Amino acid sequence: MTTLCSKLHVVGLFSFIFSCSLLAAASAASLKVGFYAQICPSAETIVRKTVNEAVWRNPGMAAGLIRMHFHDCFVRGCDASVLLKSLPGNPPAERDNPANNPSLRGFEVIDEAKARIEALCPGTVSCADIIAFAARDSAYTAGGIYYAVPSGRRDGRVSLSDEVLQNLPAPFFNATQLAQSFARKGMSVDEMVTLSGAHSIGVAHCSSFSNRLYSFNATHPQDPSLDPNYAAFLKTRCPPPPVGAVGDVKTTVPLDIVTPNRLDNKYYSELRRHRGLLTSDQTLMDSGSTSGMVVQNERNGAGWVRKFARAMVHMGSLDVLTETQGEIRRICSVLN
Ligand code: HEM
Ligand SMILES: *[C@@H]1O[C@H](CO)[C@@H](O)[C@H](O)[C@H]1NC(C)=O
Ligand SMILES: *[C@@H]1O[C@H](CO)[C@@H](O)[C@H](O)[C@H]1NC(C)=O
């Protein structure tokens, strides 16, 4: 695809962008629901069973797997690059970027599903598809949200830690920066607000938000957009970091304190009460456009569920590899 795009470049910038986006769309369109129906009919069932067992043992796993799909898709497309382990003598892989290590969880669930699938259909089902199925099954167990996942993704052969922070939005971003980060992936502001609803489950480490408690800015040590009672509670969980340090990297706090293990639209009610945990959550109330979407998602739970499902499918189609691109990894954490 790179060569084709650069050849087209000579035709002019407009047709360059146009043709390349057509190509990207064509490759996303070639994902299809039921891709494994003939070649590995039990693939999706095996993933679902593996996810259900893992979530039953640890409800937080659902959150981990949904986040894993996001971190995979925003960095080099949904190609399972997030699963590759760093190799000695090579630049570190995505998995070892501080945005993923140590907080990203669920690797062993993907490995287990992959091993079970390999035993039945060797070399057939990509790790990238397994992540997409696992995120969907997690949304179902944690929120009763169901959607069909188009599949046929292939696994990438490149994973670079350096690419992570250039592509993933940071927890201290404001609404404008979040919108820009999603726009770079071709995703809308409404999709950004809708998918932020994933923070209705799971946890964050104190280090991801303790600046809001102790070192917000020169005049306000505490973020005034944070409900004072909620801030007082958070301070009991996250003690002040030593001067110059980022904060406790071990302790975690639920992203949504009312229904921490239920993927639902209560997250949006909490934002209205100034109980968004990350700056990137509470900032959605800052501007008229995004706060309107928050209110809408809070009032219309069924509408949010439909948008969430659609946005997950869209996110799952970002920059995918298909057909003869990439490979089908035999072990998700290492190249073939
Ligand atoms: C809008 C921009 C986003 C930012 C800035 C962001 C940032 C973060 C941060 C900092 C954490 C906590 C990490 C830690 O301290 O352990 C987190 C957790 C989480 N994020 Fe996001 N995120 C965003 C969007 C998303 C999206 C689009 C999804 C999925 C669709 C998602 C799913 C999750 C989940 C489920 C957790 C909890 C993970 C767990 O408990 O293991 N996030 N996010
Ligand atoms: C958001 O952050 C950017 C970069 O720091 C800044 O230029 C912009 O003014 C901020 N926007 C708002 C609305 O605060
Ligand atoms: C600190 O933040 C508050 C609230 O956002 C703001 O009103 C104030 O101007 C900021 N102060 C500085 C020095 O940036």
Side-chain angles (χ1 to χ4, degrees), residues 216-225:
F216 184 64
N217 71 17
T219 48
H220 293 69
Q222 187 169 306
D223 185 342
S225 72

Side-chain angles (χ1 to χ4, degrees), residues 13-14 30 32 35 46 84 100 116 126 133 136 147 150 157-158 162 165 169-170 233 238 272 279 287 298 326 334:
L13 188 64
F14 175 75
S30 70
K32 68 171 211 250
F35 181 84
I46 293 173
L84 288 170
N100 293 324
R116 291 176 181 181
S126 69
F133 296 144
R136 179 268 311 274
Y147 52 92
R157 297 189 41 86
V158 178
D162 280 351
L165 297 182
F233 159 73
C238 305
R272 302 232 297 143
T279 295
S287 82
E298 179 193 6
V334 293

Side-chain angles (χ1 to χ4, degrees), residues 22-306:
L22 271 186
L23 279 175
S27 111
S30 70
L31 296 180
K32 68 171 211 250
V33 171
F35 181 84
Y36 297 108
Q38 309 300 324
I39 54 179
C40 188
S42 46
E44 294 196 41
T45 315
I46 293 173
V47 176
R48 186 174 66 237
K49 206 166 163 289
T50 311
V51 167
N52 287 347
E53 287 166 12
V55 173
W56 186 79
R57 284 194 300 268
N58 174 3
M61 231 15 118
L65 291 165
I66 291 174
R67 182 171 182 234
M68 183 176 282
H69 192 35
F70 169 49
H71 284 206
D72 184 29
C73 294
F74 263 53
V75 185
R76 250 179 205 275
C78 318
D79 67 343
S81 51
V82 71
L83 301 179
L84 288 170
K85 283 190 173 153
S86 300
L87 287 172
N90 284 287
E94 288 172 31
R95 188 167 166 157
D96 283 323
N97 187 280
N100 293 324
N101 186 0
S103 64
L104 195 62
R105 45 180 173 164
F107 292 101
E108 65 285 8
V109 182
I110 302 295
D111 288 344
E112 176 66 31
K114 176 64 169 174
R116 291 176 181 181
I117 289 172
E118 278 305 284
L120 278 181
C121 340
T124 310
V125 180
S126 69
C127 300
D129 279 340
I130 294 176
I131 300 177
F133 296 144
R136 179 268 311 274
D137 299 332
S138 296
Y140 187 72
T141 46
I145 300 177
Y146 183 81
Y147 52 92
V149 173
S151 50
R153 294 168 191 78
R154 295 184 48 101
D155 299 325
R157 297 189 41 86
V158 178
S159 178
L160 296 165
S161 170
D162 280 351
E163 293 182 339
V164 173
L165 297 182
Q166 300 159 17
N167 289 284
L168 280 183
F172 50 81
F173 274 10
N174 63 34
T176 316
Q177 295 169 300
L178 293 173
Q180 279 167 357
S181 166
F182 275 66
R184 276 202 297 275
K185 302 294 169 188
M187 299 194 74
S188 70
V189 178
D190 194 55
E191 288 180 306
M192 182 274 285
V193 175
T194 296
L195 288 182
S196 292
H199 289 177
S200 156
I201 51 173
V203 297
H205 290 74
C206 296
S207 52
S208 296
F209 58 85
S210 58
N211 67 308
R212 301 184 72 200
L213 304 175
Y214 302 109
S215 52
F216 184 64
N217 71 17
T219 48
H220 293 69
Q222 187 169 306
D223 185 342
S225 72
L226 201 53
D227 165 62
N229 293 321
Y230 182 47
F233 159 73
L234 293 175
K235 283 175 164 172
T236 66
R237 300 293 298 273
C238 305
V243 179
V246 283
D248 188 332
V249 293
K250 291 214 175 76
T251 311
T252 60
V253 172
L255 281 154
D256 169 353
I257 44 166
V258 276
T259 52
N261 288 322
R262 186 75 193 160
L263 182 59
D264 59 16
N265 65 341
K266 297 279 194 315
Y267 163 82
Y268 298 102
S269 333
E270 289 307 288
L271 297 187
R272 302 232 297 143
R273 297 189 180 111
H274 299 280
R275 290 194 221 133
L277 184 59
L278 308 174
T279 295
S280 59
D281 295 317
Q282 198 56 54
T283 189
L284 300 179
M285 290 305 294
D286 289 349
S287 82
S289 64
T290 53
S291 70
M293 294 168 187
V294 168
V295 172
Q296 195 190 22
N297 291 338
E298 179 193 6
R299 296 212 178 126
N300 182 358
W304 170 74
V305 165
R306 279 192 299 275

